[in-house]
């Protein structure tokens, strides 16, 4: 009889709604100890998975900083040989930022890193956290032919597995809180888990060693344009000392005002060495800067097209690229390339 494969998973709890349980004495929510998972959810034993738990000091995801991403990347690197996959429990508010950042920071990934969380605390009867947790573990443990089925940084939420750097939170109330408008789901979960194999990304060289980036540039800002924006406002934002990268959220297909003051302010920022990335404010669709005059004028200034990248991915990709200490031309070139499947080229 063939030996049954038993996967080993590292569950990393960073905080968030999923980690809360009602205290039976006070009725208040208190942190849940995931070391007691098997007592709380005995059917986890049916997964044929060995789960190790590591608790970070719980942090509200609104307080997440790049320092946490570096700590997570180092932890995954140092534990990589000991586990078949990783599940990261994280608050939903900044999950798309954290997961996108890890997708850029970890190079030659050959194992799943699945982020998940919940909208309702795991200790509440009607929680969505129970199913999210169990399925995330199952996905992280899945192998076929000795290889991980989904060797990517992903987000699993409410029956959908998405590529991390294609995902954004779209609802504060719905249980299907996340969407990937410009890229198909990597898996759809119903009675069975259906993996969308053609859309799953694999590292080019399976034998290449895992590497992580630990230098991230935090001199980044998001500038969202709007009708009535004053020249002084835009100028002040683009002249903030220490800003090296700007995510410029424009209208539609990358359009912006053609007023001289606007084009001049953006052009001067580029001349000062600031990398400006044009991202659409729309949830779906892509920037196409050669479609209209407004986009063409930005292109002439040296603004880079973000194509169909999400804002979360744009911010973290800039942090990653600028942290490599490359010159501006190389950073702009890399922004136009898909390095972790984050844009459609």
């Amino acid at each position: 009889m063939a030996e049954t494969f038993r996967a080993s998973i590292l569950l990393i709890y960073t905080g968030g709604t999923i980690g809360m349980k009602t205290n039976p004495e006070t009725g208040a929510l208190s942190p849940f100890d995931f070391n007691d998972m098997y007592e709380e959810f005995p059917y986890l034993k049916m997964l044929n998975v060995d789960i190790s738990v590591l608790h970070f000091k719980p942090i509200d995801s609104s307080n997440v900083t790049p320092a946490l991403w570096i700590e997570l990347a180092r932890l995954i690197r140092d534990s990589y040989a000991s586990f078949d996959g990783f599940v990261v429990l994280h608050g939903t508010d900044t999950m798309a930022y954290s997961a996108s950042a890890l997708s850029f920071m970890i190079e030659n990934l050959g194992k799943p890193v699945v982020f998940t969380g919940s909208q309702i605390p795991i200790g509440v009867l009607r929680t969505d956290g129970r199913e999210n947790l169990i399925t995330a573990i199952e996905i992280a443990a899945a192998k076929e032919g000795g290889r991980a089925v989904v060797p990517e940084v992903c987000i699993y939420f409410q029956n959908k597995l998405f590529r991390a750097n294609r995902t954004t939170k779209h609802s504060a109330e719905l249980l299907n809180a996340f969407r990937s408008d410009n890229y198909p789901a990597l898996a759809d979960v119903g009675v069975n888990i259906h993996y969308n194999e053609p859309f799953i990304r694999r590292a080019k060289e399976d034998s290449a060693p895992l590497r992580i980036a630990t230098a991230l540039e935090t001199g980044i800002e998001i500038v969202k344009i709007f009708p009535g924006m004053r020249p002084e406002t835009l100028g002040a934002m683009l002249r903030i000392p220490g800003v090296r990268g700007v995510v410029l959220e424009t209208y539609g297909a990358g359009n912006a005002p053609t007023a001289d003051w606007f084009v001049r302010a953006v052009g001067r920022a580029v001349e000062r060495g600031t990398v400006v990335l044009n991202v659409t404010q729309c949830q779906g669709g892509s920037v196409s800067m050669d479609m209209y005059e407004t986009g063409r004028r930005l292109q002439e200034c040296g603004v880079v097209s973000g194509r169909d990248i999400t804002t979360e991915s744009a911010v973290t990709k800039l942090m990653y690229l600028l942290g490599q200490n490359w010159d501006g031309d190389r950073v702009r070139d890399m922004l136009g390339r898909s390095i972790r499947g984050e844009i459609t080229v």
Side-chain angles (χ1 to χ4, degrees), residues 7-309:
S8 59
I9 299 298
L10 180 60
L11 182 74
I12 306 168
Y13 174 57
T14 69
T17 299
I18 193 171
M20 305 304 289
K21 183 179 179 181
T22 303
N23 186 314
E25 297 179 0
T26 65
L29 290 173
S30 57
F32 174 70
D33 186 352
F34 283 93
N35 287 302
D36 298 331
M37 276 191 308
Y38 288 112
E39 294 180 16
E40 189 77 17
F41 312 120
Y43 33 80
L44 272 173
K45 297 175 183 177
M46 298 172 62
L47 290 179
N48 195 35
V49 173
D50 292 322
I51 305 172
S52 299
V53 179
L54 192 149
H55 285 80
F56 272 44
K57 182 179 179 181
I59 182 173
D60 188 296
S61 68
S62 299
N63 293 320
V64 162
T65 66
L68 174 71
W69 305 338
I70 293 170
E71 194 173 352
L72 275 174
R74 284 176 171 155
L75 174 61
I76 290 169
R77 178 197 61 192
D78 296 343
S79 308
Y80 193 71
S82 302
F83 296 94
D84 296 296
F86 303 84
V87 173
V88 181
L89 304 182
H90 195 289
T92 59
D93 286 345
T94 56
M95 185 186 295
Y97 284 98
S98 294
S100 293
L102 265 289
S103 77
F104 295 120
M105 295 168 67
I106 302 175
E107 187 176 347
N108 301 321
L109 181 65
K111 299 178 182 181
V113 178
V114 185
F115 279 72
T116 195
S118 69
Q119 295 284 67
I120 304 172
I122 203 164
V124 174
L125 181 63
R126 203 170 54 84
T127 182
D128 56 326
R130 187 182 304 111
E131 190 276 330
N132 286 347
L133 171 64
I134 294 169
T135 306
I137 292 171
E138 187 171 359
I139 290 170
K143 282 194 173 185
E144 186 173 319
R147 297 198 310 171
V149 176
V150 190
E152 292 200 37
V153 183
C154 317
I155 290 178
Y156 176 74
F157 225 87
Q158 191 69 13
N159 305 327
K160 295 283 187 181
L161 181 72
F162 298 124
R163 176 170 295 161
N165 55 40
R166 292 286 196 154
T167 311
T168 191
K169 183 178 179 181
H170 79 98
S171 176
E173 295 186 357
L174 297 177
L175 296 185
N176 58 335
F178 289 87
R179 290 204 315 217
S180 174
D181 290 287
N182 288 323
Y183 198 77
L186 303 183
D188 296 285
V189 179
V191 174
N192 298 302
I193 300 177
H194 172 69
Y195 293 101
N196 298 319
E197 182 64 33
F199 302 108
I200 295 172
R201 183 179 183 274
R202 297 185 179 277
K204 292 181 180 179
E205 299 179 35
D206 290 343
S207 60
L210 185 85
R211 293 185 296 187
I212 65 167
T214 57
L216 297 173
E217 172 59 59
T218 57
I220 310 294
E221 66 178 11
I222 300 172
V223 176
K224 183 170 185 173
I225 66 171
F226 57 91
M229 186 179 215
R230 297 173 59 185
E232 306 85 66
T233 302
L234 179 66
M237 294 181 75
L238 295 179
R239 290 194 302 270
I240 294 174
V243 170
R244 295 186 60 202
V246 171
V247 176
L248 185 65
E249 287 196 348
T250 57
Y251 308 127
N255 301 316
T258 55
D260 288 341
W261 65 265
F262 184 90
V263 177
R264 197 161 48 240
V266 174
R268 286 173 178 167
V270 174
E271 289 173 1
R272 289 192 295 270
T274 305
V275 178
V276 182
L277 183 63
N278 187 356
V279 174
T280 177
Q281 295 179 15
C282 301
Q283 287 191 321
S286 179
V287 166
S288 181
M289 293 171 63
D290 55 358
M291 185 177 294
Y292 299 103
E293 180 190 355
T294 52
R296 286 197 295 270
R297 292 198 67 182
L298 289 178
Q299 199 169 28
E300 291 167 0
C301 290
V303 174
V304 181
S305 171
R307 300 179 185 264
D308 57 355
I309 198 168

